[in-house]
Amino acid sequence: MGQPKEPNAYEKQLVALGRVLQTLREEENTTVLVETTLSYLQTACDYSLLWLGLYDRLDHCMIGKGGLIPNNDVAFLNKRFMLQPGDLLEQVVIEQRPVGVPDLREEMRAGEWRRLARNLNIQGTIIFPIRYRDICYGVVLLGSSLWGVSPSAEEKARLSIVLGELATVFHKIEVDWQREQTKHPDEPLLRLLASLRSLPDFPQRLEAIVEETHRFIAPSRTNIYWFERKRRYFWRRVGNLRKAAAFSEAAQAVSGITVQEVGGFYQALVSDQLVSIGEAHSSLKAEVTGRLMQLIRARSLLAAPILFQDELIGFLAVEGNEPRIWADEEKRYMRGAAQLVALMAPLEDMEAAIQQTRSDQILTAQIARAIYSDEDWKSTLAFTARHLNDRFHTERFWVLVYDPDQRHFIVGYQSQLSNRRLLPTPLPPLSSLDFQTLEQSTEPIAIENLEDDLRFMAWREQFLELGVRSLLVCSTAPGGLPEGVVILTHEATRTWQQNERDLLQIVSQQVGVILHQWQLQRQTDQQNKIHQTIHWGLTALQQTTNVDQLEWSAMQHVAQILQAPLATLVTWQPGRRAGRIAAPVVGNNQFLLKPDTVVPVHTDPLIQWVLQSDELLSLSAESLSAETRQWLNAPGLGELLVMALRTTPEHQPMGIVLVADGPGRRWAERHLIALGTLIGQFAWSRRALILTDLLKTQREDLERMNWYKHRRLEDIHRVLGTGIRRLNELGTRQDALTGTRHQQILRQFGNSLASLTQVLKNEEWRMRIYKGNVALVSLLRRSLEQVEGVVKQRQLWTQVHNDFNLSISGDVLKIEAVLNEVLLAACLRSPSGGRIDIWCRPIDSTLLDLSITDSGVVEPRLLEELQAARSADLLAPSTLDQPPGLHLKICQAIMKQLDIELTFSQLEDGRVLTRMLLPVAAGIPLDSSISSSSKSSSLG
């Protein structure tokens, strides 16, 4: 193979041309394109001056982009050269063909280039345009120091190729830039179509259209106005300022435009015309334009009508605060966006209907699910109230429950706004006509204006006071006896649509299931409560040991079971002709009765009627006689229940139970059964307590009587025995002294027999109190004489501390007997050689403290029971059932009967203290004193 041939200069030029052309085709950066072109010209052309300038069509000037200059004045090459008429550079730009100048120094049209040429000696010059078709993008200036120099045909060809390719690239860049800057309505519309499919409802779709429109056109405000046909005005439905704009801008946005104010604008929209108002242009008349722009507070407007089936729905508007020229692309977009809104508008009503139906179905389904779940019924009603009020745009939701016992409605549940008053309960009873209307109605009852409607007159005043003006009433059991009523109210007059009535009827029937379950649960709870109350009452009756407490407890339970404001007794003793009001339990001042009021039992018509009936009587207060009204005179009486206290037919009733409530009260059967059971048990318990108290009293009386008689007989036996012994001793002696002693003994026998006669004749079954006086000294002397034998036997030391000569008032024999008993008890419990002190201390002019102290031993339990009385269980063992406790207990009872206090206690030093507070006889001065002390002493 031969050696490769060295390329000649022509081939090198072609290679350089090819490289620069390839670079120009591949490059898109303007700076790189200019630098590449200048670099090629410097190497391919032999000129001392090289300059490339780009043409600015807007400012009509050349902008220097660099080149080659002999003095390296780079700043000059990058200057901006304004083109003037007749200028050499302007000629090249306009004619778009090369221009040659033999001597640039002498060219008058060269401007600044002429001065440069003179300074640098530039003569022959040629200026080539950089053009693509009829568009000039710039020029290239080539200057030489030789006169009249011009490029050869080959250089012109290379320059034409390079500059033509550069112009082509410039044109491509410009077209791309313009394409990027040009608005394309199809792109945002396509984006809208893609995004609208995923939005769930019509309002969100309108917001998306407003946002995309504002983004594409970039006005001051973008709004969609909706047309209200009835009142003929446009109202702003959606706007971009709602979320994004400042408050000052939002305040400028108009909320509504009436057709009367802008009739021409309305006619243009109805005619499907795009309304364009911009800088020095308006598609409307001047007066309409001025009024419209004043209303919307804007200086430019582009409005596209929203029409569906030739009916105006509204318009899409972009508003500017400054004058603006609206581009065709913007107008086309507005047309398209408005037509999108028109296509979607009919779906709004359909979606609203579907959504409403779906919400109603969800509501009824959730209510049904809540009914058959374990959720609280109040939560279910709260959920129902919230959704129904939202659905019907009402303020109140009421559920009224019918009480068949009272024949009125009570408020079972109510929901209202926080600043609204509650509906009072219970409501007044409905008239028979209104109740019949409610019972027979098979659909909700709609009242549009309560003030003009005559239905539900009993409730009208209360409803109006709460601000209710219209309401929808539905029974929970349409066509039948209602267990409850559901009511929706509105504070303004309004009409109720059929679909609203249908929905409320469905919901009311579901609420009826809740009320039915609630009523059953309520009845069960009431029954359980009644059973518990009866059990509790029976237990309380069995545990109560006091008749008064028993009566109060029984009446409280009766009032609680019947929920009545009055429960009381009228009681009497068998054989008595008068009774009294006892244990009145009053829950209302209207039912106050005066306690212990005397009631004529044998003549009162009500009591005689009750006594002749074996069952519970129910009667009205209107049927009471005037005689009964004299003691049964509570102003609130309306309905009464009366029953006698019966046990067995052989027993006479000793009272009646009376229960009362206001007019119209109805008594439930379960309450009457419970009441009969409780009254029967109460009658037995009360009779048992009375019998127990009576037997207990009789037993105590007999115990006291037996003790007292026994002691009296012992005294008489002792006196008679002593007298007989003395008579026997005197039988052998017959003198005057003997006769006197006989008379004394006979007198003692007479006195003893007289006292024994009094006891046997007047106190056979009950002790009687005989008032008398006795000197304290005599009382103490006789008592010490009674225990003298025990004192001597046990060698006891007795001492009486008495500084006063007093007399004691009272039943002397019983006081002396008790004093003898307590002294004997003190002697018997004292140890041999012990000490017994008797202290007499006047408390005042009416009382004497007689205290006996001894050093004996006493059982602590005996002292406790003597102080606090024995246990309530009479069958339990007690120290008071046998002596000495029995005797001391009887002494306490006798002294209590005489109104004298007798107590037993133990001092801190261990001595036993027996204390009696004896009444002092009136008129006896406290001036004498007496005292004695001995191993065995008596007063004489």
Side-chain angles (χ1 to χ4, degrees), residues 55-62 80-85 90 93-94:
Y55 176 56
D56 186 350
R57 289 193 292 273
L58 294 178
D59 293 339
H60 195 51
C61 65
M62 285 291 177
R80 177 186 291 266
F81 299 94
M82 301 301 298
L83 302 183
Q84 303 296 332
E90 186 187 46
V93 171
I94 294 175

Side-chain angles (χ1 to χ4, degrees), residues 381 571 886:
L381 291 180
T571 62
L886 177 60

Side-chain angles (χ1 to χ4, degrees), residues 837-850:
D837 291 288
I838 301 176
W839 307 85
C840 300
R841 304 183 185 91
I843 296 177
D844 53 29
S845 61
T846 60
L847 284 178
L848 172 70
D849 181 359
L850 179 61

Side-chain angles (χ1 to χ4, degrees), residues 707-724:
W707 174 86
Y708 169 64
K709 285 188 175 182
H710 192 76
R711 289 294 183 265
R712 292 298 297 147
L713 293 175
E714 286 181 346
D715 289 344
I716 294 172
H717 179 270
R718 180 180 56 79
V719 171
L720 291 177
T722 303
I724 292 172

Side-chain angles (χ1 to χ4, degrees), residues 139-206:
V139 297
V140 171
L141 186 146
L142 301 174
S144 174
S145 59
L146 302 176
W147 185 91
V149 175
S150 62
S152 62
E154 182 181 353
E155 287 179 341
K156 287 183 179 181
R158 291 199 301 272
L159 286 173
S160 178
I161 293 172
V162 172
L163 297 181
E165 187 64 29
L166 179 61
T168 301
V169 175
F170 280 164
H171 180 70
K172 180 177 178 298
I173 293 174
E174 183 180 23
V175 170
D176 293 341
W177 180 81
Q178 289 178 350
R179 184 181 296 111
E180 292 178 357
Q181 297 300 315
T182 302
K183 294 182 177 180
H184 299 281
D186 54 328
E187 295 178 0
L189 290 176
L190 289 174
R191 285 196 300 270
L192 271 178
L193 289 173
S195 63
L196 292 178
R197 294 179 302 175
S198 61
L199 296 177
D201 53 34
F202 185 66
Q204 294 186 27
R205 296 179 190 132
L206 292 182

Side-chain angles (χ1 to χ4, degrees), residues 659-728:
V659 182
D661 205 337
R665 170 67 189 268
R666 296 297 181 270
W667 312 99
E669 186 65 25
R670 59 183 180 276
H671 291 152
L672 299 181
I673 296 174
L675 179 61
T677 303
L678 189 59
I679 291 177
Q681 182 62 39
F682 166 64
W684 277 104
S685 299
R686 184 173 181 273
R687 187 176 188 88
L689 280 181
I690 292 175
L691 288 174
T692 301
D693 290 344
L694 179 59
L695 294 175
K696 181 180 178 182
T697 302
Q698 292 176 351
R699 175 176 174 268
E700 292 175 350
D701 290 344
L702 291 175
E703 287 177 343
R704 291 193 297 269
M705 191 70 188
N706 180 69
W707 174 86
Y708 169 64
K709 285 188 175 182
H710 192 76
R711 289 294 183 265
R712 292 298 297 147
L713 293 175
E714 286 181 346
D715 289 344
I716 294 172
H717 179 270
R718 180 180 56 79
V719 171
L720 291 177
T722 303
I724 292 172
R725 187 172 58 253
R726 290 179 179 178
L727 287 176
N728 289 333

Side-chain angles (χ1 to χ4, degrees), residues 204-225:
Q204 294 186 27
R205 296 179 190 132
L206 292 182
E207 291 181 0
I209 292 175
V210 168
E211 291 177 0
E212 189 63 41
T213 301
H214 194 77
R215 188 183 304 111
F216 179 72
I217 300 180
S220 300
R221 298 181 297 275
T222 303
N223 297 306
I224 292 180
Y225 292 86

